[in-house]
Amino acid sequence: MDVVVVGGGPAGRAAAAACSDTGLRVTLVDPAPRRGWPHTYGAWHDELPASVPSTALAAVQRRMSVHGTGGHEWQRPYAVLDNTALWKRLWRADVVEVTGRAMAAEHGPTGSTVVLKDGRRIAAAVVVDATGAARALCGGRPAHAPAQQSAVGWVVNAAAAEPFCGPDTGVFMDWRPAPQTRGGWPTFLYAVHLGPDRVLLEETSLARRPALPLALLRRRLAGRLAAAGLGERERIDEERVRFPVDDPLPRPGRVIPFGAAAGFVHPATGFSVAASLRSAPWLAATISAALPAGPAVAARAGWSILWPTRAVTAHVLRHRALQALLSLPPELVPEFFETFFRLDEPHRRAFLASDGGAAETAAAMSALFRNAPWRIRRRLVLGSLSIGHPAARHGLGGS
């Protein structure tokens, strides 16, 4: 076997499909490889690769509204993936599926062996860890307490959701507080169409350490929807989300991390799937080209193609920005985002891009710092000093 991919989520399936398409022999390991993906995955439409056809999209919003302390509309299409259609698109008949839980990987000069919980062993030249935040084969969870995004959403009929978004419009972030919110860390409404007849309305905590409790988010969402006349009877389904957004990059080693396990989660949005779909063909081509030089060389090349120097630097900048944001008092968070929402579109795109370069990211952060009110600048500077990175050097939060 050439490649063992551990993890059957969108990232793992994308990696397995790309490696198979390159001619590599692939095994995919997952506790339930035929299980569907329960969460909603969204992305800016222009960030999805051409390999994702329109048939793999559940809906496309032609514009997205945002609200910090004032309302704005972004004329940038936003897509929600059709999980079933995407799964079928990424399925390959020649990828061997193994039902099991990977516990460890052992390495030698001629390849690696993945050890499953039940004692089975699978040998391959290269191992890809796509187990998400668990990082099952890349050292496990980091020792620090993570900042986590958490959310609770209701799926409702599109007609019931009209007070929040029209037929061609979604809500990227609306920081206006839910009714009867009494202090605490602010949350925002996220709303997207899941198809012609259904809409997801989600109360979201962008990042908090520790994460805001789901019960609190559920109460805020219920209050927000009740103020618009929506009650339990309108709820078709409920979605619950919690995942880390500030995991450090894994160290290069014999296992290649991919997707969320590789640090693809964008700290400002929580997005990672589009980056995985775009990166999978590059990873597969790199492994295929480097394998003749040996498994260790292929593993190093795979990590390097995913995280070139410019991407590592941008990753560090964004994570510094997140730490500075977390240092703001709750009442300043909506105003902070209002400043961001007012930036020129190139700056917004650069900071929100999953693969944006360091120079573009730093320029966007510097523009935000320049335009922020002094009360926010002061807090960002203090937050920057607390993480040892002066704000005056890189802009937002001292990144």
Side-chain angles (χ1 to χ4, degrees):
M1 193 61 60
D2 297 315
V3 180
V4 172
V5 177
V6 180
R13 282 286 172 185
C19 288
S20 172
D21 294 345
T22 309
L24 297 170
R25 296 169 300 161
V26 183
T27 293
L28 184 142
V29 179
D30 189 85
R34 293 300 177 97
R35 176 180 51 196
W37 304 324
H39 299 303
T40 301
Y41 300 116
W44 299 111
H45 191 269
D46 53 46
E47 292 194 347
L48 291 171
S51 60
V52 178
S54 60
T55 54
L57 304 180
V60 177
Q61 282 85 176
R62 287 191 291 181
R63 52 192 176 272
M64 297 293 282
S65 66
V66 294
H67 197 289
T69 58
H72 311 270
E73 195 169 79
W74 290 354
Q75 301 292 330
R76 187 182 184 188
Y78 183 87
V80 174
L81 296 167
D82 182 323
N83 290 357
T84 300
L86 182 62
W87 191 98
K88 291 178 179 178
R89 183 79 180 180
L90 296 175
W91 183 82
R92 297 293 185 272
D94 58 353
V95 171
V96 178
E97 295 178 356
V98 174
T99 301
R101 188 176 299 278
M103 302 300 291
E106 301 170 353
H107 310 291
T110 60
S112 301
T113 300
V114 174
V115 182
L116 305 188
K117 186 177 182 180
D118 60 10
R120 285 178 294 166
R121 301 167 68 86
I122 303 172
V126 174
V127 177
V128 176
D129 183 348
T131 58
R135 297 184 170 187
L137 303 183
C138 290
R141 293 292 310 137
H144 77 287
Q148 293 183 304
Q149 183 173 128
S150 53
V152 172
W154 285 7
V155 178
V156 303
N157 183 276
E162 284 186 0
F164 301 98
C165 56
D168 296 320
T169 306
V171 179
F172 188 60
M173 290 181 179
D174 186 340
W175 286 95
R176 285 174 289 186
Q180 300 181 356
T181 298
R182 295 182 294 274
W185 191 249
T187 56
F188 64 88
L189 177 70
Y190 168 78
V192 289
H193 292 265
L194 305 179
D197 301 320
R198 296 187 306 146
V199 171
L200 173 67
L201 301 172
E202 198 158 71
E203 195 72 25
T204 307
S205 168
L206 180 64
R208 195 65 184 153
R209 184 185 296 111
L212 285 190
L214 298 183
L216 172 62
L217 293 168
R218 188 176 290 110
R219 287 197 300 272
R220 288 189 182 182
L221 177 66
R224 190 187 295 273
L225 301 190
L230 279 71
E232 288 278 350
R233 64 187 179 279
E234 276 80 30
R235 182 177 61 179
I236 299 171
D237 199 1
E238 181 174 289
E239 176 173 275
R240 295 173 292 277
V241 175
R242 178 153 51 190
F243 58 87
V245 295
D246 67 339
D247 282 350
L249 298 185
R251 295 180 180 275
R254 288 292 297 272
V255 174
I256 304 173
F258 189 67
F264 280 15
V265 176
H266 195 297
T269 62
F271 295 170
S272 67
V273 173
S276 298
L277 296 174
R278 286 200 313 275
S279 301
W282 291 98
L283 175 64
T286 300
I287 293 173
S288 180
L291 262 182
V297 174
R300 286 196 300 271
W303 195 95
S304 296
I305 195 69
L306 297 176
W307 286 109
T309 301
R310 63 186 290 273
V312 172
T313 305
H315 176 88
V316 171
L317 290 175
R318 293 192 186 101
H319 279 248
R320 297 279 188 177
L322 174 63
Q323 299 309 313
L325 172 63
L326 291 174
S327 74
L328 288 176
E331 65 272 13
L332 291 184
V333 172
E335 192 172 359
F336 169 89
F337 277 96
E338 177 67 20
T339 305
F340 177 76
F341 295 156
R342 289 172 180 251
L343 291 180
D344 293 340
E345 184 178 7
H347 286 322
R348 296 198 309 261
R349 283 178 178 254
F351 187 78
L352 295 177
S354 57
D355 56 358
E360 298 87 350
T361 302
M365 293 160 67
S366 296
L368 191 150
F369 189 77
R370 287 194 307 271
N371 287 282
W374 171 244
R375 56 187 171 276
I376 291 180
R377 287 195 201 184
R378 177 177 176 275
R379 290 286 186 166
L380 293 177
V381 170
L382 293 175
S384 302
L385 293 175
S386 71
I387 58 176
H389 201 91
R393 180 158 52 162
H394 286 299
L396 166 60
S399 301

